[in-house]
Amino acid sequence: MDTSGAVVLAGTPIGDAEDAPPRLLRLLAEADVVAAEDTRRLRALVARLGVTPSGRVVSYHEHNEAARASELVEAALAGQTVLVVSDAGMPGVSDPGYRVVRAAVDAGVRVTAVPGPSAVLVALALSGLPTDRFCFEGFLPRKPAERRRALAALVTEPRTAVLFESTHRIADTLADMAQVLGPDRAAAVCRELTKTYEEVRRGTLAELAAWAADGVRGEITVVVAGAPPVPASTDDLLAEVLDRVADGERLKEATAAVAERTGASRRELYEAALAARDAAPGDPSHLGHPGYRGATSRKEGR
């Protein structure tokens, strides 16, 4: 095999078994060791896929991953292919995987992956929310106070956030999110992705919290819009204009550049810069900007 003597992280279907790539089927059949988050679920998966593992199957879950990692790395060092799979999705993404990768890297063992389905990316793509920048928060804390503190850290986060939640806590979590992040923040609740009863519910956090109050079943991924940009104050924008002028840029060009970048009114910003200049003409320490070289007249500045 071309992956002998390696640790291979393999993504498994998050619902529909037909999403399994051919390479996953081959490795399940040929790997020397298959480390599974839940060996019972692995047996059910290979039965659906029509594959029979020829190698040794061992458990690799959150309670034994630290101890098991060294054993898996030793097997790879001995030239064996070690396939690591989680119950669903990509190992290491809120599932065991990080520790064996870290141990393999430290031991100089090759680590590679079989790309596969990911609830994070599927939910992000289906959410209808911005996908150009996002962060993954995993599972929020179970205790209400700790959960609200974790959410408070996202109040000003500009990126779209993706997180997992259980059916037992989703109603409380959405209620907390509406309270902490704001009831009008856009979000999507994605459940049972790629399965028969797949559903994507989009709306504001207040609307989703009300919908979930009666209970939501299934595997759940929540996607929340990032914080809206906070417009810079006129004073901040004016300071940037004056900094650019102090560096030798003409007032007109400096104002145009700052206005274009921030969306501020070019005319209002220009007038504010003229007023600030006129308030202290000839003062090189004008508004805390040493060496400010503003135009000597409105006509020149224009």
Side-chain angles (χ1 to χ4, degrees), residues 117-279:
S118 167
V120 175
L121 297 181
V122 173
L124 180 66
L126 297 180
S127 69
L129 298 172
T131 59
D132 53 338
R133 298 181 67 230
F134 70 94
C135 60
F136 176 58
E137 292 295 313
F139 284 92
L140 293 173
R142 297 183 180 185
K143 295 182 179 179
E146 294 178 5
R147 181 169 61 239
R148 286 190 285 269
R149 280 196 293 271
L151 289 170
L154 296 176
V155 170
T156 59
E157 171 57 63
R159 296 171 295 179
T160 299
V162 184
L163 54 94
F164 294 153
E165 191 50 282
S166 72
T167 58
H168 306 294
R169 294 191 298 272
I170 185 61
D172 290 338
T173 293
L174 287 171
D176 284 344
M177 293 175 79
Q179 178 182 355
V180 177
L181 302 180
D184 296 328
R185 183 80 69 95
V189 176
C190 309
R191 71 178 194 91
E192 297 293 272
L193 291 172
T194 76
K195 299 178 183 177
T196 302
Y197 298 104
E198 175 181 288
E199 180 181 16
V200 179
R201 181 68 64 123
R202 305 173 184 87
T204 66
L205 284 173
E207 292 169 341
L208 293 172
W211 164 74
D214 294 332
V216 180
R217 294 183 178 181
E219 300 288 335
I220 298 170
T221 305
V222 181
V223 187
V224 188
V230 178
S233 68
T234 301
D235 287 344
D236 290 337
L237 298 181
L238 181 58
E240 183 178 348
V241 169
L242 297 178
D243 277 337
R244 297 175 75 117
V245 172
D247 289 336
E249 193 170 349
R250 287 175 58 85
L251 179 60
K252 184 176 181 180
E253 284 73 21
T255 303
V258 173
E260 182 178 1
R261 182 181 62 79
T262 62
S265 168
R266 180 174 177 176
R267 179 185 178 85
E268 291 179 6
L269 186 56
Y270 183 68
E271 292 297 331
L274 288 176
R277 183 201 66 188
D278 291 345

Side-chain angles (χ1 to χ4, degrees), residues 53-65:
S54 60
R56 180 166 54 100
V57 176
V58 300
S59 64
Y60 180 64
H61 48 72
E62 62 178 330
H63 302 297
N64 73 353
E65 61 174 324

